[in-house]
């Protein structure tokens, strides 16, 4: 059973994916962390994100132990992740891992929840249920600001809104696997919803699709 959740940064997709996976007893994969890990590797090697060979090598030799490194969540890592994510060589390297995770959920789990930008459109086009999560750029910037403040990394609010808008533009307009809803995705706008509200709405949709009968 494959559930995909795509959407822009700070739309709430990651939190929703984690929560649904826990609730359903499914494995969870945050694919943004893969692109962030490639970015962090380049930052640590002091390589430029436009260095395609270095980015491809970083994706090929990805150290999965770095996926919970807190530096993955830094604003700079996110920006560079968005730049390397536009490189076809990097996407090709990460595709097999993501598809394999979907096909063979770790820990013998009976399903997966995978979140990202192109999961419903490219990585798992035959997924059982697809969500596309949105929220206004202003609300997403304020969530991001709160997250960074909580982590002791305060930033200028104006800068964050601009960073969110720049990242949206890059992710939506790149040639390969741009951020867009799959035709059969369920749209969920979290602008006026907290995480409990988003979770409840997702459960209603899952119920309507008959997912619980299939488990
Ligand atoms: O979801 P996130 O903010 O952690 O993702 C970081 C960047 O990685 C994002 O700006 C675009 C890229 N990404 C992608 O291109 N495809 C995915 N499936 C996931 C993330």
């Amino acid at each position: 059973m494959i559930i995909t959740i795509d959407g822009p940064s700070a739309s709430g997709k990651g939190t929703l994916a984690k929560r649904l996976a826990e609730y359903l007893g499914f494995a969870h994969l945050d694919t943004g962390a893969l692109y962030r890990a490639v970015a962090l590797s380049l930052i640590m090697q002091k390589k430029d994100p436009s260095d395609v060979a270095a980015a491809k090598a970083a994706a090929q030799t990805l150290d999965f132990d770095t996926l919970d490194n807190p530096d993955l969540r830094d604003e700079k890592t996110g920006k560079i992740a968005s730049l390397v994510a536009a490189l076809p060589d990097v996407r090709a390297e990460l595709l097999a891992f993501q598809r394999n995770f979907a096909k063979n959920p770790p820990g013998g789990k009976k399903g997966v929840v995978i979140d990202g930008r192109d999961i419903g459109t490219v990585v798992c086009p035959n997924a059982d249920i697809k969500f596309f999560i949105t929220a206004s750029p202003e609300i997403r910037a304020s969530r991001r600001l709160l997250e960074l403040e909580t982590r002791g990394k305060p930033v200028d609010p104006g800068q964050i809104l601009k960073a969110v808008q720049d990242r949206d533009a890059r992710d939506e307009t790149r040639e390969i696997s741009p951020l867009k809803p799959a035709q059969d995705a369920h749209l969920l706008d979290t602008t006026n919803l907290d995480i409990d509200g988003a979770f409840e709405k997702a459960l209603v949709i899952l119920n309507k699709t008959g997912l619980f009968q299939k488990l």
Side-chain angles (χ1 to χ4, degrees):
M1 174 81 59
I2 301 175
I3 299 179
T4 64
I5 307 189
D6 290 305
S9 62
S11 54
K13 65 185 186 310
T15 318
L16 178 63
K18 211 182 285 172
R19 185 113 175 234
L20 278 178
E22 270 166 24
Y23 182 79
L24 297 165
F26 286 7
H28 169 225
L29 178 65
D30 163 11
T31 62
L34 303 175
Y35 292 92
R36 285 173 181 266
V38 172
L40 193 57
S41 165
L42 291 182
I43 293 169
M44 288 190 310
Q45 297 177 65
K46 298 197 182 343
K47 298 271 190 194
D48 196 274
S50 62
D51 183 338
V52 179
K56 184 179 176 185
Q60 270 169 342
T61 54
L62 201 62
D63 177 0
F64 293 100
D65 290 341
T66 62
L67 292 184
D68 33 1
N69 183 332
D71 293 349
L72 287 188
R73 301 288 136 207
D74 286 354
E75 223 15 60
K76 181 178 176 190
T77 316
K79 179 181 172 191
I80 296 191
S82 163
L83 291 169
V84 297
L87 302 174
D89 282 352
V90 168
R91 301 202 77 84
E93 288 301 331
L94 299 180
L95 188 59
F97 175 83
Q98 297 171 78
R99 285 194 173 147
N100 184 49
F101 187 100
K103 220 173 160 187
N104 306 294
K109 304 262 168 102
K110 55 184 181 280
V112 290
V113 183
I114 309 191
D115 72 85
R117 301 288 189 290
D118 62 335
I119 312 303
T121 49
V122 174
V123 179
C124 300
N126 299 320
D128 299 271
I129 316 250
K130 301 176 186 178
F131 287 101
F132 193 85
I133 313 291
T134 53
S136 72
E138 289 75 18
I139 211 80
R140 289 188 287 119
S142 70
R143 288 175 188 163
R144 190 78 190 107
L145 196 64
L146 189 67
E147 185 201 330
L148 289 167
E149 278 170 2
T150 311
R151 288 182 46 224
K153 304 207 167 183
V155 280
D156 173 53
Q159 265 181 12
I160 282 291
L161 180 59
K162 182 167 184 321
V164 162
Q165 288 167 330
D166 286 352
R167 194 125 75 86
D168 284 357
R170 242 191 329 266
D171 293 346
E172 285 166 6
T173 59
R174 67 177 177 226
E175 273 182 34
I176 181 163
S177 297
L179 169 67
K180 63 170 184 202
Q183 271 185 351
D184 50 350
H186 299 274
L187 304 183
L188 188 55
D189 186 334
T190 68
T191 304
N192 298 309
L193 294 174
D194 61 9
I195 175 59
D196 287 335
F199 179 64
E200 294 303 325
K201 282 220 165 179
L203 285 187
V204 169
I205 293 170
L206 291 179
N207 202 16
K208 275 194 193 146
T209 61
L211 173 118
F212 295 108
Q213 284 81 4
K214 288 191 219 151
L215 288 178

